[in-house]
Structures are given as C-alpha cells and as structure tokens.
Amino acid sequence: TEPARWIISEQREFQLGELDGVSITSDGKLILAPVFESLFETEEAFIYSAVVDDAGTLYLGSGNNGKIFQISSQGRAVEWADLEEPAVYALIDSGGRFYAATGPNGKVYRINSRGEAQLFFDPQEKYIWTLAADRQSNLLVGTGPRGIIYKVDPQGQGDVFYDSNEAHITSLEWDLDGNLLAGTSPGGLLFRISSGGAPFVVYDSALQEIKVPAENCVALNSLKFPTTH
C-alpha cells in the first residue's frame, strides 16, 4: 500500500474531521482551543440572557421557569430571582438599576439588590427580546411580534420610540455617536435610529435575524457607521 498525501487549508475542510483541543480560525489556521470549566448547573433548559455588573457578578436569565441566577466573582452561585413569566430574555444593569425582560406576556421588572422583583413596564406585548439604557437612564425596550421599540423613563412611563415594519426587535445597542442600533427579524436588518426616532437601514443581511450576544456588545460599541442620506 502506497502512502497517501493530501493538503487541508480551508476551514470547511478541517471541519470534516474531529477536533480535539484545537479550534479553527476563519482563515483556516489551527490554534489551541480555550479550556472550558463548568461553574454552575442551573438545572434550567435554557440560558437566554447574561449580564455582568460593576462588581464582576454574573447574572443569568433562564427558561422555562423564569429564574435569574447570580454568580459572584468568587464563583458562588445562587438562585437570585424568580419571575412569573417562563423566559427571561434580556437583563441590564443601568447605573445600579437592574432590569429583566420576559416573555411570553412580555414585561419589564425592576429588581433590587435582594432579588425582589417589581413590575416596572408592561407594554402589552408578547415578547421583550432586548433592553438598552441611554445616558438619561431611560430604558429602550425592543419587542415582538409587532416590532416596536419603547422608550421608558426612570419612573416607568413609556411611549413608542420607533414602530418598525419588522416583526421582532432582537438587539439594541448604541453607536459611538449616540444613535441607537436595532437588529431585527425576520428581515435581518440593522437600523440606525437617531435620538428623534428617525430610522436608517445601515445593513441588510442575507439572514433572518440579527442578534448580538451580551459578550459581543463591546465589539458592537466600537463600530462607527458612515452618515448616509
């Protein structure tokens, strides 16, 4: 039997094999894979949301029992809050004010340091997918299936900020100029929305949804889009 020789150089070629302790970069390079360590078993079916506060404490929003778990920087994990709705889709810590958004029967809760939840905003929407806070401590609330973004003041009074033609607002973040960036579904659009609520499509993807995981928000904050009229 003669020896066989072949060349593998692209990511899709490496993915046909089994990876053990290595990762493949987008340009086809093999690198050592990160080591994963289990911190906490929530016994929940899903982890939908995550946020880290200024003290380094991690909060996880789960489903299908609507629980929020707290993991300290030392690794101590506890069940912190238990909400009425099945799923906690978004969490945000805004200047010491902690909010959680749920679905179905989408509501926003404000939660104190003891994990006690109080209803903060109820827009009568089925889902609340995402939250963002501006410099005035107003809360921006992305919903579905009507694709509306609400602006809610610190007292919990909300108004429609932008009513899109999309079914779901799946992501909210800020660009460097203070404009709101909104990802949508099912069109897979990325809107830039001015402080006055004027929208502009900066990206029309070929996919059905634009979703920004919590750990990637720093990368999104570094984006600066051209001003186009």
Side-chain angles (χ1 to χ4, degrees):
T1 302
E2 295 184 359
R5 177 178 180 271
W6 66 92
I7 297 176
I8 297 176
S9 59
E10 297 182 3
Q11 185 184 51
R12 60 181 178 85
E13 295 171 334
F14 280 114
Q15 288 175 335
L16 296 176
E18 294 184 4
L19 303 179
D20 184 8
V22 296
S23 296
I24 309 169
T25 65
S26 59
D27 57 355
K29 294 179 181 178
L30 286 177
I31 61 174
L32 289 175
V35 177
F36 293 96
E37 180 182 354
S38 178
L39 292 178
F40 176 54
E41 174 55 62
T42 66
E43 298 183 356
E44 291 287 283
F46 303 100
I47 298 295
Y48 287 120
S49 53
V51 69
V52 179
D53 68 12
D54 292 338
T57 301
L58 173 65
Y59 296 86
L60 303 175
S62 70
N64 292 317
N65 292 303
K67 297 180 184 296
I68 301 174
F69 298 92
Q70 181 190 70
I71 305 176
S72 72
S73 56
Q74 290 76 36
R76 180 177 177 270
V78 295
E79 180 184 314
W80 187 60
D82 188 356
L83 306 182
E84 294 183 6
E85 287 71 40
V88 182
Y89 287 122
L91 298 171
I92 188 171
D93 180 22
S94 173
R97 298 181 176 93
F98 196 96
Y99 301 97
T102 66
N105 301 320
K107 298 176 182 179
V108 178
Y109 292 90
R110 184 169 173 177
I111 307 175
N112 65 23
S113 59
R114 297 182 298 275
E116 298 166 342
Q118 181 179 8
L119 181 62
F120 179 73
F121 179 60
D122 183 0
Q124 302 295 309
E125 299 286 349
K126 191 171 181 63
Y127 300 103
I128 297 178
W129 299 116
T130 180
L131 300 171
D134 66 14
R135 295 176 180 175
Q136 291 74 43
S137 297
N138 298 306
L139 203 62
L140 283 301
V141 179
T143 69
R146 299 193 297 161
I148 297 174
I149 301 173
Y150 294 88
K151 187 175 185 178
V152 187
D153 67 22
Q155 288 72 46
Q157 300 299 312
D159 295 302
V160 174
F161 177 69
Y162 176 59
D163 188 351
S164 75
N165 291 324
E166 289 284 278
H168 301 280
I169 303 296
T170 52
S171 300
L172 292 174
E173 258 299 333
W174 302 100
D175 71 7
L176 296 179
D177 295 321
N179 300 301
L180 185 66
L181 300 176
T184 72
S185 173
L189 303 176
L190 180 62
F191 286 96
R192 179 182 62 217
I193 307 173
S194 70
S195 59
F200 180 80
V201 176
V202 295
Y203 181 59
D204 183 354
S205 78
L207 303 177
Q208 293 185 346
E209 178 179 288
I210 292 182
K211 183 72 173 176
V212 181
E215 63 271 17
N216 290 340
C217 287
V218 174
L220 185 57
N221 277 334
S222 68
L223 294 179
K224 192 175 181 68
F225 295 98
T227 301
T228 308
H229 301 282

